[in-house]
Amino acid sequence: MRSEDLLPLQERTADRPETLSEIAGGGFRMIGGRNRGVDGFQKSTGKAIYTDDIVLPGMLHAKILRSTEPHARIQSIDASAALALEGVHDVITGRDIPTAYGIIPWTPDEHALAVEKVRFVGDAVACVAAVDEDTANAALDLIEVEYEALPYYLDPEKALTLEAAETPIHAPRKPGGNGNILKRVQLEFGPVDEKMSEADVVVEGEYYFHGTTHAPIEPHCAIARLNQDGLLVVWSATQVPHYLHREIARVLGLDVAKVRVVQPAVGGAFGGKSEPFDLEFCVALLALRTGRPVKILYTREEVFYSHRGRHPMKMKYRVGASENGRILAVDAETILDGGAYASFGLVTTYYSGQLLTAPYEIESYRFDSTRVYTNKAPCGPKRGHGSVQPRFAFEISLDKVAERLQMDPIEFRRGVFMGTGRTVNEFRVQSNGFLECLEAVEKASGWKEKYGKMPYGRGLGVAGSCYISGTNYPIYPNPMPQAAVQVQVERSGRVTVLHGASEIGQGSDSTMAYIACEELGVPLDYVRVFSADTDLVPVDLGAYSSRETIMVGNACLMACRRVGDLVGGSVAAEWEVEPSRVRLAGGWAFDVKDTERRMPIAAAFQLAEAEHGTLGAVGHYNTPKEGVHGDYRGGTIGASPAYSFTAHVADVEVDPDTGFVDVRTIWVAHDCGRALNPVLVEGQIEGSAYMGHAEAVLEEQEYMVGEHEGGLHNAPSLLDYRIPTSMDCPEFVPFIVESNDPEGPYGAKEAGEGPLHPSLPAIANAIYDAIGIRIDSLPFTPPRVWQAIRDAEAVKMAEEVA
Amino acid sequence: MKDVLTLQVNGDQVEVGVPTHYTLLETLRYVLGLTGSKQGCDKGDCGACTVLLDGEAHLSCIMPVYEALGHEITTVEGLADGPYPHPLQDAFDLTGAAQCGFCTPGILCSAHGLLAENRSPSRQEIQQALSGNLCRCTGYTKIFEAVEVAAESLRTGMDPRDIVAERYEVALPSRSMQPLSDLLKEPHA
Ligand code: FES
Ligand code: FES
């Protein structure tokens, strides 16, 4: 078919010409619309390919032998019987892969397979590759490991003792240090002690966050294949292909240009797949050694033990306020229970203090956070990394302050709204829709009529929060762009977007497609998106810290505008009008002053291709470095190009006889800057509130403490670790607030993590409204709530007797 | 040890050599290459492996393949009517009910089982029908909406797109991203 013959067909797909006048005066064509996703049909017809769906000819299956000891020295490993088993191709141990790794370049403390020591039940010890999974499993049983048990620490406060420091989990990083401490951060902004002494009201409290995990429905999976030309290809269910790419090359001593990492569709991640894991190194090494493709699929138990979930935190908070409702001072002391390895822990330690300082005006602030190693599965970044726990403590504290001041908690929060400008720790906030968020949930929940006025057992609670849209600095320091996109424009009308963002269900592929449609005027089904394949796309750092929309989105915008300008220019020249009169939208290039003058978009691309040659462009994004954070040590950590804001009101019903907390409704308003597609934003808001609600009332990553079972996970299954079913969820009512941030693409900020934060404290505050009892330790499971009610009754009775 | 079995899958009669200890899920995924059905736990806890047996939802990861003999097995790959997506599939896409999509095949099968029995399910009946399917991404709201849209489409014959447009009071971009079925319906120029 000649290209001219295509054009009548394309007119059928393009917008109806009579609708063009609606957008001729400006306004978006794609952005903000309730559009389909680019991968929706793939997913709803079973065609999307996830890592475990890939089967390669001659593929071996590998299994990892895991430690049964929480802390022990490995004395010997005898794999001879395993190797002798028919069907076993190879067995590797820590000796074969001795280079340490870690997502944070300053704290590499992990090995793909244990070297000398194991540090938690579930630590990887050896790996077998065999013809099938059954044979690999049988071989695991034949490996003999002798351990010399060491004292182990499940409680971080125990790990901090001098006695524990004598047999530390890791060798101290500095001579004389305590090897059980990964990091301590102490920062102070403003005269905290002075301000605290001036306060009319000081609220002190101790809060506990219990630890939760991501539990994506897709277990981790990785496959490696060595091509005959020496290229190692690794497919993995990861959310950080670029870091994985670097680490595989570094740990295995390979040339990074001869490694390719491909991220197939990922079945949920939430931060649980945001660093390299043992399985990826194991399949890579086994593929190199055997010459055969090798796959590892975690069992559900292994997913629980690989963890990297939210840190348990013990938090002491003192908040001082003036009688007219200003927050004069906040003083926080936090112990983070890190588990056996560093993971992102260095950053988590900073985040546990740094991310608390908006949306409220805080006049002085001090935090002291210490991350401690324990002999449990390593903690890491879970949706709302490092800041969900302190937000829980802080927002309950604010509720207590408001009560002491006899102020309505929403009114109080309104009064301390910071607006835009500088936070007390010097972060630059350029847009802040928190007031609109508060207003939306106040109205929708009927707060004024209901708060404090419902019958015993029913209550409302409010909480607010702030989160980052990406981090200002990459994980390893470098001056190169943090995101990049390549766009190809072809004479058929097809546009191809090659980008590095990791689609993990949040919709980054669709988001890039919407931007391409908006800028280049093509219908959505003319856009092909290729992402997260290190051989095909430019470098992007991955799906973490809510960075994709703002960073990859901006890069995409730059690339599309570069090529869009060429197309618009060629059309303008053809029509002999100013380029500003040409708009590309809805499948057409048209004259905004005279919409009768138009051509199908492919014809416009052809004009431009004739003038400029093959059409394409690259775009990139780098975070602003000037004036966005303070220059104190650590001031860069937690700094972001833009901050999102959220407010929740939760409606709960507490059964005083059973302690059961029924969260009935959560109203969530989130300031995402601009909703590039409201369907996706609502999905992120609902999914976040769902996850936060579950952490408040259902889920707990717990370990056994007995002599023989110490360090065993208490509930490593999707039945016992209680993630909510369709019957367990409250009604979620989302509201989108658009504050239009100058740094975001079309004003957009993040929506994937921020809306989780207030769920937990809003529920806590609602429980207080319902039954008049403060419960400052999570989770609010029936036994804990029941006990709290009984304790309060006992106190009351004792008072009455006295 | 392997056995040769004859299964009815998505309308086809297929003869397969299957290790005798295999579950139905392993047979579908690793023998037949029907990887649409997912494995999230392999022990009956998550519902990602849900398929239809004679129209009724079952967990294939805890079903020995022998138990499927003599039953009509339908997986997510078999829900569409040739090139025409099932209204459930269209509705899931339109409402954003599939985020990562890993729970989706199982949820579609459970919802299909429900709608076969009940074309006007209440919200609560939908919740009950899906209570064996865990979704970690969505918080379920959009999934419930998608099932309601599909139910309405099956009842009224309306296009799911028009139902969604009405529900959200928006004009959905009319002709962008049409399912294949629309293109087949329209005469070629
Ligand atoms: S895989 Fe069957 S229920 Fe989880
Ligand atoms: S969409 Fe990801 S688990 Fe349901």
Side-chain angles (χ1 to χ4, degrees), chain A residues 238-242 263-264 482-485 497-504 506-512 529-533 537-544 547-549 551-553:
Chain A
T238 180
Q239 56 190 112
V240 285
H242 173 64
Q263 179 215 312
Q482 273 151 281
V485 168
V497 179
L498 299 140
H499 72 89
S502 287
E503 171 63 66
I504 54 174
Q506 84 283 42
S508 54
D509 279 354
S510 296
T511 301
M512 298 316 134
V529 181
F530 295 93
S531 58
D533 174 333
V537 304
V539 168
D540 180 67
L541 304 179
Y544 65 93
R547 52 182 295 289
E548 306 281 43
T549 296
M551 296 199 193
V552 192

Side-chain angles (χ1 to χ4, degrees), chain A residues 216-218 266-268 270 504-505, chain B residues 97-104 107 134-138 140 143:
Chain A
I217 306 299
E218 178 201 32
V266 168
F270 315 109
I504 54 174
Chain B
Q99 285 187 23
C100 79
F102 204 76
C103 68
T104 310
I107 290 191
L134 297 176
C135 173
R136 194 58 167 162
C137 298
T138 60
Y140 302 103
I143 294 174

